[in-house]
Amino acid sequence: MDDDLRILIGYRIKERRCSLGLTREGLASMTKPPMSSKYLWELETGRKKISGDILRRLAITLEVTADWLLCLPV
């Protein structure tokens, strides 16, 4: 996964989180199982690569498709 895609995915996560009125800590605690808010920050800023499992968990929690998070056409 290249840097540009990591940044775009992070932007999408943050965009959806904010549109739902969630704090980073709130979203992190809502995922099943919960993740740390620091790890979520690292994803949102493109510092960490996202695994398939984390992508799935965030898509479910944010009520979007993984395709949307990956910036793929629907």
Side-chain angles (χ1 to χ4, degrees):
M1 179 180 301
D2 67 9
D3 293 342
D4 291 340
L5 182 56
R6 282 200 323 255
I7 291 167
L8 282 172
I9 293 169
Y11 176 81
R12 285 282 177 112
I13 294 168
K14 183 177 180 179
E15 176 185 36
R16 181 63 177 157
R17 174 179 63 77
C18 291
S19 74
L20 293 173
L22 296 170
T23 63
R24 192 173 292 119
E25 293 78 14
L27 175 57
S29 69
M30 288 172 64
T31 59
K32 303 288 188 233
M35 65 178 66
S36 74
S37 59
K38 180 181 185 290
Y39 181 66
L40 183 55
W41 174 80
E42 291 172 327
L43 291 173
E44 286 184 350
T45 57
R47 286 173 168 75
K48 291 277 186 182
K49 291 182 180 180
I50 191 164
S51 70
D53 180 58
I54 297 295
L55 181 70
R56 180 188 60 79
R57 289 167 45 197
L58 284 171
I60 290 168
T61 305
L62 292 169
E63 299 176 340
V64 295
T65 65
D67 286 353
W68 186 84
L69 287 175
L70 291 170
C71 307
L72 296 173
V74 180

